[in-house]
């Protein structure tokens, strides 16, 4: 009997020790999430993880807060008396997501005090926390404050902070205000979010800016990156999601509000660094003409397996045909591009180039000919067949890519990422000059089988209802 009581007391002490240490000591211990580690290791002052649901993005945000507040960061110089904010979209989301994660990973022995907005600090997970005061291993205490975006920008003024963590995408004015809060302490901004709102300010100000601003670090995190999700679980999660839903909720990719047209595009797959192309791969040039609007021209190559490479770009506006032709010929000379027997370059061009205007005696086709480029206006301009052809080259019926774009073709890459459907059945007619001539070119290539689109249960219900209504009509 006494031995049994001793064992029970030992087990109780062990449980208490585990509770005191918390989950923080087990974070990335047995199963390592490589992208979480990369996030913690980054020295950038502005870090963002764009991840799908259950990809592990919120965990790394919560742990980063605690690393800093507790003075236990394994990859940075630690500070004492740290002050930081956790920013959620609303108090309810705060309680259910960010606050819950922080409490899960926070060692109980490190808590000095909890100040509540609502509820009791004895059971903080049931209420709304205002701030948590914790012991800092470097000395003194640190404060983790909780804010919600629905409070408005005014509630984010005045403080001086070491860090701000955005759990999901905040309004731009609150982000700008929080940048000022960490300025005088040379603090950190970091965010973890699923980009469900489309191409918002985060896309322009964070994601795109990270390509040239060395202070901004971004990473995409998807289900397969999470070592705690099995392939079977991933398959079950994917089963009833449309391709568009998978892009955002699995892969954490940005999409336009009405849906990206080319959801198959993956910058990590389809965009490649330039390399020396064999002369035998040279295939054709394609032009979408413009005077005040941009003229887009790209050089296309094809390897022996039928893969297409976009290897060079001319993209400019407010130039005459003679200047465009000179610049295109200059690129061709640099590439040692093939020419027709008469020494002229050959290219596809929009059939609209055959139209004459009152201001010119010659049409655009004739003007290009006069400047050494023989353009062929007999192109397939059918929109939907062209879009499907591009989609098949981005990802065929086996999920393999057959279209690769040199990273120097920045305008084409940018247009693909911003090309979305309108509320109707056609893409929005804006910033699509490269994409038009890409369609003209790929419609001269063999058609590839595409992966069937995964439809959600809601979509299938709508289709069944539509068929039922048609039968009754």
């Amino acid at each position: 009997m006494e031995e049994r009581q001793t064992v029970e007391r030992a087990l109780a002490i062990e449980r208490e020790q585990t509770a005191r240490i918390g989950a923080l000591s087990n974070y990335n211990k047995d199963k390592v999430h490589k992208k979480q580690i990369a996030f913690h290791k980054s020295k950038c002052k502005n870090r963002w993880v764009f991840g799908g649901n259950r990809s592990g993005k919120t965990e790394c945000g919560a742990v980063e807060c605690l690393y800093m507040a507790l003075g236990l960061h394994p990859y940075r110089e630690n500070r004492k008396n740290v002050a930081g904010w956790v920013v959620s979209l609303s108090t309810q989301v705060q309680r259910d997501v960010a606050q819950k994660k922080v409490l899960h990973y926070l060692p109980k022995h490190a808590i000095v005090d909890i100040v509540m907005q609502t509820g009791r600090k004895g059971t903080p997970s049931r209420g709304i926390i205002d701030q948590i005061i914790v012991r800092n291993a470097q000395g003194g205490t640190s404060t983790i404050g909780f804010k919600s975006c629905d409070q408005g920008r005014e509630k984010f003024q005045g403080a001086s902070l070491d860090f701000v963590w955005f759990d999901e995408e905040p309004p731009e004015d609150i982000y700008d205000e929080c940048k000022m809060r960490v300025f005088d302490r040379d603090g950190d901004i970091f965010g973890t979010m699923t980009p469900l709102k489309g191409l918002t300010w985060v896309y322009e100000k964070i994601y795109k800016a990270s390509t040239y601003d060395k202070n901004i670090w971004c990473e995409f995190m998807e289900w397969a990156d999470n070592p705690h999700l099995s392939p079977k679980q991933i398959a079950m999660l994917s089963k009833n999601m449309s391709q568009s839903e998978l892009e955002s909720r699995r892969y954490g990719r940005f999409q336009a509000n009405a849906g990206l047209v080319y959801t198959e595009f993956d910058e990590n797959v389809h965009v490649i660094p330039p390399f020396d192309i064999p002369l035998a791969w040279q295939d054709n040039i394609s032009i979408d003409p413009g005077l005040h609007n941009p003229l887009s021209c790209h050089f296309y190559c094809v390897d022996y397996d039928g893969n297409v490479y976009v290897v060079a770009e001319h993209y400019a506006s407010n130039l005459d045909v003679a200047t465009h032709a000179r610049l295109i010929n200059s690129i061709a000379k640099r590439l040692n591009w093939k020419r027709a027997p008469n020494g002229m370059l050959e290219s596809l061009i929009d059939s609209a180039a055959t139209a004459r205007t009152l201001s010119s005696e010659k049409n655009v086709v004739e003007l290009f000919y006069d400047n050494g480029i023989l353009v062929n206006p007999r192109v397939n301009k059918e929109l939907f067949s062209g879009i499907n052809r591009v989609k098949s080259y981005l990802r065929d019926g086996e999920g393999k890519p057959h279209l690769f774009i040199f990273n120097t073709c920045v305008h084409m890459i940018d247009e693909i990422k911003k090309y979305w459907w309108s509320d109707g059945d056609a893409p929005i007619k804006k910033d699509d000059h490269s994409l038009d001539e890409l369609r003209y070119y790929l419609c001269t290539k063999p058609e590839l089988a595409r992966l069937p689109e995964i439809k959600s249960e809601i979509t299938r219900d709508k289709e069944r209802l539509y068929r039922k209504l048609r039968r009754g009509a």
Side-chain angles (χ1 to χ4, degrees):
M1 187 69 177
E2 184 177 344
E3 182 179 350
R4 180 179 176 183
Q5 290 176 338
T6 301
V7 171
E8 288 178 349
R9 280 198 300 270
L11 291 173
I13 292 171
E14 184 178 342
R15 286 194 296 270
E16 178 63 22
Q17 287 176 333
T18 302
R20 285 177 176 271
I21 295 172
L24 189 61
S25 61
N26 293 320
Y27 175 73
N28 271 299
K29 185 177 180 181
D30 297 324
K31 294 183 178 181
V32 176
H33 193 312
K34 294 181 180 179
K35 289 190 175 180
Q36 287 180 342
I37 299 299
F39 166 77
H40 297 304
K41 283 185 174 181
S42 171
K43 303 299 183 184
C44 293
K45 292 292 184 179
N46 199 335
R47 292 169 288 158
W48 290 76
V49 173
F50 307 120
N53 306 114
R54 299 189 66 184
S55 62
K57 65 184 190 304
T58 308
E59 275 78 5
C60 62
V63 169
E64 185 71 6
C65 289
L66 294 176
Y67 277 163
M68 291 184 169
L70 297 171
L72 297 173
H73 205 295
Y75 308 111
R76 287 175 168 238
E77 183 178 349
N78 286 290
R79 303 178 179 182
K80 60 183 179 181
N81 298 317
V82 170
W85 282 347
V86 175
V87 180
S88 301
L89 300 181
S90 67
T91 52
Q92 182 175 348
V93 173
Q94 170 194 317
R95 181 195 65 198
D96 296 341
V97 184
Q99 176 181 302
K100 181 179 180 180
K101 291 293 183 184
V102 170
L103 290 174
H104 173 72
Y105 285 105
L106 176 60
K108 290 185 178 180
H109 72 274
I111 299 173
V112 175
D113 195 13
I114 299 179
V115 180
M116 304 294 295
Q117 291 185 47
T118 63
R120 299 180 179 180
K121 66 180 180 181
T123 53
S125 61
R126 298 180 185 177
I128 306 298
I129 298 175
D130 180 60
Q131 60 182 24
I132 303 176
I133 302 170
V134 299
R135 293 183 181 87
N136 186 303
Q138 309 303 316
T141 59
S142 297
T143 302
I144 305 172
F146 290 83
K147 296 281 187 180
S148 62
C149 295
D150 54 9
Q151 293 176 304
R153 177 173 183 158
E154 292 76 14
K155 297 294 184 180
F156 289 79
Q157 296 174 346
S160 180
L161 304 170
D162 296 282
F163 71 84
V164 175
W165 168 37
F166 294 108
D167 176 42
E168 299 302 341
E169 178 180 342
E172 185 176 7
D173 61 341
I174 289 178
Y175 167 78
D176 289 336
E177 189 65 46
C178 287
K179 283 186 70 176
M180 299 306 298
R181 299 307 109 227
V182 300
F183 181 76
D184 61 340
R185 292 200 189 189
D186 191 28
D188 286 72
I189 293 277
F190 48 96
T192 56
M193 57 172 281
T194 300
L196 298 175
K197 298 179 182 179
L199 305 183
T200 62
W201 69 268
V202 174
Y203 176 79
E204 297 290 338
K205 210 168 181 176
I206 303 295
Y207 172 60
K208 287 184 67 176
S210 68
T211 61
Y212 55 82
D213 188 338
K214 294 182 179 180
N215 293 315
I216 301 176
W217 178 93
C218 295
E219 180 63 272
F220 286 94
M221 192 179 286
E222 63 123 326
W223 295 341
D225 296 320
N226 187 347
H228 299 282
L229 287 179
S230 67
K232 183 177 180 181
Q233 288 174 308
I234 292 173
M236 290 180 63
L237 288 168
S238 305
K239 186 176 181 181
N240 292 321
M241 284 191 179
S242 68
Q243 186 60 48
S244 178
E245 289 173 314
L246 284 170
E247 289 297 312
S248 56
R249 294 193 178 277
R250 171 174 177 170
Y251 296 103
R253 295 174 185 152
F254 288 91
Q255 295 194 90
N257 289 335
L260 281 176
V261 175
Y262 295 125
T263 56
E264 299 83 359
F265 178 73
D266 184 342
E267 196 165 359
N268 295 317
V269 173
H270 298 103
V271 178
I272 61 174
F275 62 92
D276 291 333
I277 293 287
L279 295 179
W281 291 13
Q282 293 181 5
D283 190 43
N284 212 339
I285 302 169
S286 188
I287 297 173
D288 183 62
L291 294 175
H292 299 299
N293 290 324
L295 177 144
S296 176
C297 171
H298 288 84
F299 290 68
Y300 296 87
C301 295
V302 180
D303 68 16
Y304 303 115
D305 295 317
N307 297 309
V308 171
Y309 298 84
V310 188
V311 301
E313 173 180 86
H314 167 64
Y315 192 99
S317 56
N318 295 311
L319 300 177
D320 58 24
V321 171
T323 305
H324 283 302
R326 178 173 55 80
L327 294 170
I328 293 169
N329 269 294
S330 176
I331 295 172
K333 183 177 180 180
R334 174 172 58 84
L335 296 175
N336 193 22
W337 196 262
K338 64 179 183 176
R339 292 180 180 269
N342 62 1
M344 299 180 73
L345 284 179
E346 294 180 301
S347 175
L348 303 170
I349 197 168
D350 188 339
S351 59
T354 60
R356 280 187 171 81
T357 65
L358 295 176
S359 61
S360 176
E361 294 181 357
K362 296 184 177 182
N363 62 35
V364 173
V365 170
E366 294 166 332
L367 291 171
F368 268 111
Y369 183 87
D370 290 345
N371 286 278
I373 302 179
L374 181 61
V375 292
N376 176 9
R378 294 185 294 275
V379 296
N380 181 353
K381 291 183 64 175
E382 208 287 313
L383 181 64
F384 292 103
S385 64
I387 287 175
N388 283 327
R389 187 66 56 87
V390 175
K391 283 176 170 287
S392 72
Y393 273 79
L394 288 170
R395 184 166 56 187
D396 69 9
E398 297 179 351
K400 298 178 181 178
H402 295 276
L403 175 62
F404 302 94
I405 307 169
F406 280 10
N407 59 20
T408 50
C409 300
V410 293
H411 291 93
M412 177 177 283
I413 296 166
D414 188 54
E415 286 187 6
I416 289 178
K417 294 190 294 186
K418 296 169 66 175
Y419 193 46
W420 61 88
W421 298 105
S422 67
D423 292 334
D425 294 327
I428 295 173
K429 189 62 182 171
K430 181 183 178 184
D431 299 331
D432 58 357
H433 311 287
S434 296
L435 303 184
D436 283 349
E437 46 103 342
L438 173 65
R439 293 201 324 272
Y440 306 155
Y441 170 74
L442 284 180
C443 281
T444 68
K445 300 290 103 184
E447 185 173 4
L448 303 177
R450 285 184 56 212
L451 280 172
E453 184 170 357
I454 302 173
K455 297 180 180 179
S456 69
E457 189 61 37
I458 294 174
T459 301
R460 289 195 290 269
D461 282 341
K462 286 182 178 178
E463 291 178 349
R464 284 193 290 267
L465 179 59
Y466 178 70
R467 289 193 295 270
K468 184 177 179 181
L469 289 171
R470 289 201 64 180
R471 286 195 298 269

